[in-house]
Amino acid sequence: MAMVLNEEAGMLKDAARGYLSTSAPVSQLRKLRDSGSEDGFDRKTWADMAEMGWTGVLVPEAHGGVEMGHVAAGVIAEEMGRTLTASPYISTAIMGATALSRFGSDGQKSEWLPRIAAGEAITALAADEGRKHNPSGVAVSAERSGNGFKLNGRKTFVAEGHVADMLIVSARTGGSENEAEGITLFLVPRDAAGVTVERKDTVDSRHAADIVLDNVEVTADAVLGEVDNGLGALEAVLDAGRAGLSAEMSGSAQQCLDSTVGYLKERKQFGQIIGTFQALQHRAAHLYSEVELGKSIVLKALQTLDAAPDHAAMMVSAAKAKLGQVAQLAAREGVQMHGGMGMTDEFDIGFYMKRVRVAEALYGDANYHADKFARMRKY
């Protein structure tokens, strides 16, 4: 499998960069932060993405999408990482579309996939319940009630949960906490009776939500996939999101490198351009090699998701672990090589540091995925 983008993906990359650099630059994130936006993203930009087909990149053509695959989805996420474009793209166009396309019933697909492709519906995955990512650590209960289920419990740090129209909730229909068996996925409307959404501000100037479920009643039609056997589906949806986040962090790392090298070529100290100092050249060269390695492993993970989605978990974890390290290195080096100015709000580099720290932790940090990769590797 060639480790390069094909012509179609290359054209998409150029188009995405052209649009995002002019219509959704970092200055847009600044405006959202300074205005105290409750959404945490620009609705006009989201509508534009839908019009360009980005929200339907993983939606089958039969349901109004363009069905271009995970490599294409990652190309878009990478360019969003370059400009720190805030949107529900990963939670909806990647994770929501993956969940419904792969595991939804015909009725669920018909109801939600066209709306996702059109940019009319936002989804959010409500999986974690504690301070650390743990997909099997499900305590939210789903007890049988009539012809459906009654959900009770709390989910934490649900990305885009404050704006979602539909929540994908993992709940326990059997077994006990941390057991693989007994987990079921449910589609729960955010405005359903008993659902309480607590919006949380995040350090990257975006938002997440804590979700409280108090005797939330859903019918059997709300089950996504199989009852009691939902962990596999949950991990598949998470892997799609993890790969998308890795691509986003790759874009952020590339932009940190580009901005830092540009600054090294302009900034003078002791009467000399600081880019002529050998110590800084060595650091920039090391960062370049790490960023390039990160780009390769992300592309491999995305290609594997397209070619063999049931066997992509190890490569996705490798990408998420590596990019979590690379993106944070790029942001730290950027701040340090910008000097004291890098710590001020005047420069964009600080925004990148905040975002990659959130993205690195979301759906499993570098340590989590390095450990997961080690356990899956066959010797």
Side-chain angles (χ1 to χ4, degrees):
M1 188 180 296
M3 293 297 291
V4 294
L5 296 176
N6 61 28
E7 183 178 0
E8 186 179 49
M11 293 174 62
L12 177 62
K13 182 181 182 70
D14 292 340
R17 182 172 298 186
Y19 171 77
L20 294 170
S21 62
T22 56
S23 300
V26 181
S27 58
Q28 183 185 82
L29 181 62
R30 285 182 177 272
K31 291 179 182 179
L32 290 169
R33 180 199 64 176
D34 294 343
S35 66
S37 169
E38 293 188 0
D39 287 343
F41 69 98
D42 182 71
R43 294 274 180 176
K44 171 62 167 59
T45 301
W46 181 241
D48 288 346
M49 291 179 186
E51 187 173 343
M52 292 184 287
W54 296 2
T55 54
V57 70
L58 292 179
V59 176
E61 293 182 8
H63 294 288
V66 293
E67 200 171 4
M68 292 181 69
H70 286 277
V71 171
V75 162
I76 296 170
E78 179 183 323
E79 295 305 318
M80 289 183 180
R82 278 186 172 272
T83 59
L84 297 182
T85 304
S87 78
Y89 177 76
I90 289 177
S91 72
T92 303
I94 293 182
M95 300 177 78
T98 296
L100 288 157
S101 296
R102 291 192 60 185
F103 307 106
S105 65
D106 290 342
Q108 291 167 342
K109 291 177 182 179
S110 297
E111 180 178 3
W112 289 103
L113 286 176
R115 295 180 62 190
I116 288 176
E120 297 171 355
I122 295 173
T123 64
L125 179 65
D128 285 318
E129 301 179 14
R131 298 179 64 182
K132 289 288 187 178
H133 181 58
N134 183 13
S136 64
V138 177
V140 168
S141 64
E143 298 180 355
R144 292 192 178 274
S145 176
N147 69 337
F149 298 83
K150 186 176 293 185
L151 279 61
N152 283 280
R154 183 185 186 93
K155 295 291 185 178
T156 60
F157 205 84
V158 179
E160 320 310 336
H162 63 297
V163 291
D165 301 291
M166 178 65 72
L167 302 170
I168 302 171
V169 179
S170 60
R172 190 160 289 284
T173 47
S176 58
E177 189 173 355
N178 290 314
E179 283 189 359
E181 299 298 323
I183 294 174
T184 304
L185 299 183
F186 294 91
L187 297 180
V188 181
R190 185 171 62 95
D191 59 0
V195 176
T196 302
V197 179
E198 302 173 8
R199 182 171 66 86
K200 302 288 185 180
D201 295 334
T202 52
V203 69
D204 58 350
S205 301
R206 305 189 189 191
H207 305 304
D210 286 353
I211 307 291
V212 177
L213 305 162
D214 183 14
N215 289 323
V216 177
E217 295 187 1
V218 296
T219 67
D221 291 337
V223 173
L224 183 67
E226 299 180 21
V227 174
D228 289 340
N229 293 310
L231 184 59
L234 175 59
E235 286 286 3
V237 174
L238 284 167
D239 277 342
R242 291 159 177 162
L245 278 172
S246 298
E248 180 194 318
M249 288 190 288
S250 177
S252 295
Q254 292 172 56
Q255 187 58 46
C256 286
L257 174 63
D258 292 347
S259 298
T260 300
V261 170
Y263 185 76
L264 295 181
K265 292 178 178 179
E266 297 175 354
R267 173 67 173 169
K268 284 187 176 181
Q269 195 171 18
F270 308 117
Q272 289 184 295
I273 298 293
I274 63 174
T276 63
F277 300 156
Q278 192 174 57
L280 296 184
Q281 291 177 353
H282 288 171
R283 290 171 68 175
H286 173 249
L287 180 56
Y288 173 82
S289 66
E290 289 293 296
V291 169
E292 288 299 305
L293 179 59
K295 288 168 60 177
S296 296
I297 198 169
V298 168
L299 179 56
K300 181 63 176 177
L302 294 168
Q303 290 176 335
T304 306
L305 278 171
D306 282 333
D310 292 331
H311 302 283
M314 188 170 75
M315 189 53 63
V316 169
S317 282
K320 187 66 162 62
K322 184 61 178 178
L323 267 296
Q325 297 170 341
V326 170
Q328 292 204 74
L329 173 66
R332 287 197 306 269
E333 288 287 76
V335 168
Q336 291 178 19
M337 286 193 272
H338 274 76
M341 294 297 290
M343 297 298 294
T344 69
D345 194 62
E346 179 181 348
F347 279 69
D348 290 339
I349 194 71
F351 283 82
Y352 286 89
M353 174 173 278
K354 293 172 184 177
R355 174 55 188 168
V356 299
R357 290 205 170 190
V358 173
E360 188 266 347
L362 189 58
Y363 309 134
D365 61 16
N367 289 333
Y368 175 93
H369 284 288
D371 179 69
K372 185 178 179 182
F373 176 86
R375 285 186 281 108
M376 287 187 293
R377 183 174 173 81
K378 297 180 180 179
Y379 293 93

